[in-house]
Amino acid sequence: METTIKKAPLIASEVIKKRPLIISGPCSAETEEQVMETAQQLADTGLVDVLRAGIWKPRTRPGSFEGVGTKGLPWLQQARKQTGLPVAVEVATAKQVEDALHFDVDILWIGARTTVNPFSVQEVADALRGVKVPVLIKNPINPDLELWIGAVERVAKAGITEIGLIHRGFSNYGNTEYRNAPMWHLAIEMKRRNPGMMLINDPSHICGRRDILLEVAQKAIDLDFDGIMVESHIDPDNAWSDAKQQITPGQIKEMINAIHWRKEDVNSEEFHQVLEKLRQQINHLDDEMMQILGQRMKVAEKIGEYKKNNDVVILQTNRWNEILERAYKKADPLGLSKEFITRYLDAVHMESINHQNRIMNS
Ligand code: PEP
Ligand code: MN
């Protein structure tokens, strides 16, 4: 490394209040040189607030690179000194917490594979007792909001006051567009249940590939997320983990500059009046839909009554297919996606069945 300027690392508690908060760095610390070079290039963009790097890697299958371990921590300590960027590391055990803190790691995060396991989260939380450090908690790999909330509660009970959330998507079976389905509604619901808690998006682990990182990051920013965590590597194709989704520090700069950072609000009377009117229209339509759904359930109950009198089962699979096919045809010209219609009708149909079931067994 050529650069010799040493900067006093910024205070993590201050840095994490910045909006938008940008965290970047390699999926894994691999070598001292890779860490130092990545850190310097990221710092040079002037756009990155926190340097991330995985030291212990929870890999799905054994035999993959499982992280350099504790020997990588002095590299991060050095990078922190060199660039002034606070550093963030994933921890999953008490020993990892202890080692990370010993080497001045500023921010800890709990990974998706750890959030699913209350024993591990509790172990990490216990190790954090009496420590003042910001902790970011990734969503669990499965779409279970309670587990995510449980992890937040365990860490909070240990006395940690600076807690943030990272939305990194949810596992699914088979190949899909995303490595991890974003299920934005879960992140939004988590935010609603934890008002005021920082929520950032991790497009790298959602996408699993480079070409749609910007699109996902933009969506998160449009949904008023507080920032993003994106993986970067000086030689992405040859990264020891998550090679397909990493981008160079130069590309990080391009991406951040390409994002349209919209305002959260605007100080104009007219804007608020127009918005209020449109929102009233939405409320009105929601009320109408509620009325119609109520009527639909009444009809379902009548069907239930009729089937009961004729002693036939509730569910006729053909009928369900017919409902879906009809709806898809009608939804398309209205600009409603197949995915939305399926989810909507699934909920409505299920409720209908429950109503019929109650009638049949009454
Ligand atoms: C990571 O951030 O490199 C990581 C392992 O992420 P996740 O816990 O979201 O899989
Ligand atoms: Mn990764």
Side-chain angles (χ1 to χ4, degrees), residues 92-97 118-128 154:
T93 66
K95 176 77 167 62
Q96 291 171 4
V97 171
F119 286 142
S120 301
V121 174
Q122 194 56 54
E123 181 182 330
V124 168
D126 289 341
L128 288 169
R154 285 176 201 278

Side-chain angles (χ1 to χ4, degrees), residues 57-95:
K57 301 303 297 178
R59 304 312 296 277
T60 304
R61 304 279 301 271
S64 314
F65 171 61
E66 291 187 325
V68 290
T70 311
K71 79 165 192 224
L73 288 170
W75 310 338
L76 289 179
Q77 198 179 30
Q78 183 64 17
R80 177 180 183 270
K81 244 195 231 157
Q82 192 81 46
T83 61
L85 291 177
V87 302
V89 161
E90 171 177 354
V91 288
T93 66
K95 176 77 167 62

Side-chain angles (χ1 to χ4, degrees), residues 27-28 52 57 179 205 231 241-242 245-246:
C27 177
S28 303
R52 64 149 280 156
K57 301 303 297 178
R179 174 176 173 191
H205 292 88
E231 289 184 340
S241 59
D242 289 352
Q245 70 197 31
Q246 303 207 57

Side-chain angles (χ1 to χ4, degrees), residues 157-171:
K157 274 194 176 162
I160 296 294
T161 52
E162 297 161 311
I163 300 178
L165 305 166
I166 305 178
H167 168 230
R168 51 77 78 197
F170 302 87
S171 282

